[in-house]
Amino acid sequence: MTIITHSRETGTLIQGTAKGDGANTILKADGWRWSRNLGTWYVPNTRDRAARGHIIKGTAEQLRAAGFTVEVDIDDTARPAAAVEQDKARRAGERAEALAAKAERRAAAADRAQEGARAADARLPEGGEPIKIGHHSESRHRNAIARADRATRRAIDAGTEATQAAERAETAALATVRRYNPVTVANRIETLQADQRRAERQLNGHSRTLFTVGEQRYTENHDGAQGEEAQRLRARIQELADQINHWEGVRAEQIAAGHANSYGPETVNKGDQVRFRGSWYEVRRVNRKSVTIPSMIGGSWTDTVPYHELSGHQPAAF
């Protein structure tokens, strides 16, 4: 019995396959990957995401056609955003630790390879003595040069691998820090709110104006979702509301701690000075979500900057 499962916590997995049964060919073609840690096949990037029905259905159909007995068990219930973020932080920490350990091993290997290269060089004749063609030492001399060349190449490759491993470890160590960058958090909230509004329009139905000719307006009407699609959208809206609530709480804590600003049309006025990317600009216009400032590169036009990307504010002096 082969069972394809999906939950938000574990992602999409498959159980009941065995080496040599032919399932791997089907799974690879459908985008599945083998995990040594899990000891099973999985669909990448499916943790805490909605089930990818087309992949699950397609894989099940192909396995059944190949003679497998397949069951599908999907639990698409979203987890609380706080739990999701806690797990992401834990996995990021574990990955950073693993990569740091790997970087240390690669650095040690690079040191050994460098030592081997120096030892191989030391065995060469002093002073860059040329090979004596026809002399009994010719073969030994050529072999020593070849060994030194191979040792140098190993040292270079090991050094490159050590540098790359260190860079990956540093990137992994900063993953959570970047995820909670105040500007990133504010941008994420806006994206989630836009996704929520889109899902609500799809659920409830909406109209949009395509164009107008004189007094005549031409619109495009979309009916609200029904049945399973409506259920899916309601669940998605609830999930987005939970995520928005979580990240708004994070942003409120960042503002309270002084790590993020609380600027807005209530606090910034035309003529004030605002700081953006290290420079100060006079506010030309105050908008609902942004301020209009002179061109940042000195042109005659203006630029707009979201409030959450400002790093300073000074009221105009009257």
Side-chain angles (χ1 to χ4, degrees):
M1 172 70 71
T2 301
I3 305 174
I4 299 175
T5 64
H6 176 87
S7 72
R8 293 299 183 94
E9 183 173 3
T10 63
T12 304
L13 307 174
I14 190 167
Q15 302 170 358
T17 64
K19 187 175 181 179
D21 64 4
N24 63 326
T25 302
I26 296 172
L27 296 172
K28 286 181 181 178
D30 282 351
W32 293 68
R33 294 181 186 173
W34 175 259
S35 170
R36 286 182 294 179
N37 292 333
L38 298 174
T40 188
W41 293 86
Y42 71 103
V43 179
N45 301 318
T46 53
R47 278 179 172 170
D48 289 304
R49 297 189 180 183
R52 299 177 186 174
H54 64 290
I55 293 180
I56 295 173
K57 181 180 178 181
T59 299
E61 289 176 349
Q62 291 183 64
L63 288 172
R64 289 176 182 131
F68 292 85
T69 301
V70 181
E71 287 188 1
V72 176
D73 182 11
I74 297 177
D75 179 4
D76 219 4
T77 305
R79 297 198 297 157
V84 173
E85 290 303 314
Q86 185 176 19
D87 278 358
K88 283 185 177 180
R90 175 183 55 78
R91 292 196 299 269
E94 292 172 351
R95 174 174 170 77
E97 290 179 2
L99 287 173
K102 182 177 181 179
E104 290 182 3
R105 293 194 298 272
R106 291 291 173 85
D111 289 342
R112 291 193 297 270
Q114 282 287 357
E115 190 62 32
R118 284 192 289 268
D121 286 343
R123 287 191 288 270
L124 293 173
E126 294 184 4
E129 180 181 343
I131 297 174
K132 298 176 180 178
I133 307 299
H135 192 266
H136 65 83
S137 65
E138 178 183 355
S139 178
R140 184 172 65 251
H141 195 162
R142 290 186 184 278
N143 289 337
I145 292 174
R147 284 193 296 271
D149 286 345
R150 290 194 296 270
T152 299
R153 173 47 56 189
R154 285 195 294 270
I156 292 172
D157 291 344
T160 299
E161 291 176 355
T163 299
Q164 292 174 344
E167 290 174 349
R168 287 195 292 270
E170 183 179 1
T171 299
L174 294 173
T176 300
V177 174
R178 290 195 301 269
R179 183 167 179 79
Y180 281 80
N181 176 280
V183 173
T184 302
V185 169
N187 287 335
R188 183 176 297 118
I189 291 171
E190 290 192 354
T191 299
L192 291 170
Q193 290 172 337
D195 290 344
Q196 186 182 52
R197 291 192 297 270
R198 185 181 304 109
E200 288 171 345
R201 289 196 300 270
Q202 292 172 346
L203 175 63
N204 301 322
H206 65 281
S207 299
R208 70 185 185 98
T209 300
L210 298 175
F211 56 90
T212 58
V213 177
E215 298 295 327
Q216 181 67 42
R217 175 180 297 177
Y218 294 86
T219 60
E220 182 179 70
N221 298 316
H222 297 268
D223 295 332
Q226 301 292 330
E228 292 184 1
E229 179 64 10
Q231 293 179 356
R232 184 191 70 81
L233 286 169
R234 291 190 188 97
R236 177 59 175 160
I237 291 168
Q238 184 176 357
E239 177 185 4
L240 288 167
D242 177 54
Q243 293 176 357
I244 292 168
N245 181 66
H246 170 77
W247 288 109
E248 285 182 337
V250 170
R251 178 159 174 77
E253 292 176 358
Q254 292 176 336
I255 291 173
H259 301 314
N261 73 67
S262 57
Y263 304 142
E266 304 84 8
T267 57
V268 179
N269 299 293
K270 181 179 179 180
D272 289 357
Q273 294 286 322
V274 291
R275 185 180 175 89
F276 177 64
R277 295 181 181 175
S279 298
W280 289 91
Y281 301 91
E282 181 181 341
V283 176
R284 295 284 182 85
R285 186 168 59 250
V286 173
N287 313 303
R288 187 169 65 89
K289 293 187 176 183
S290 64
V291 291
T292 301
I293 61 175
S295 168
M296 288 180 282
I297 60 173
S300 59
W301 56 90
T302 58
D303 292 316
T304 58
V305 180
Y307 289 110
H308 63 262
E309 293 190 24
L310 299 176
S311 57
H313 169 236
Q314 294 180 351
F318 294 103

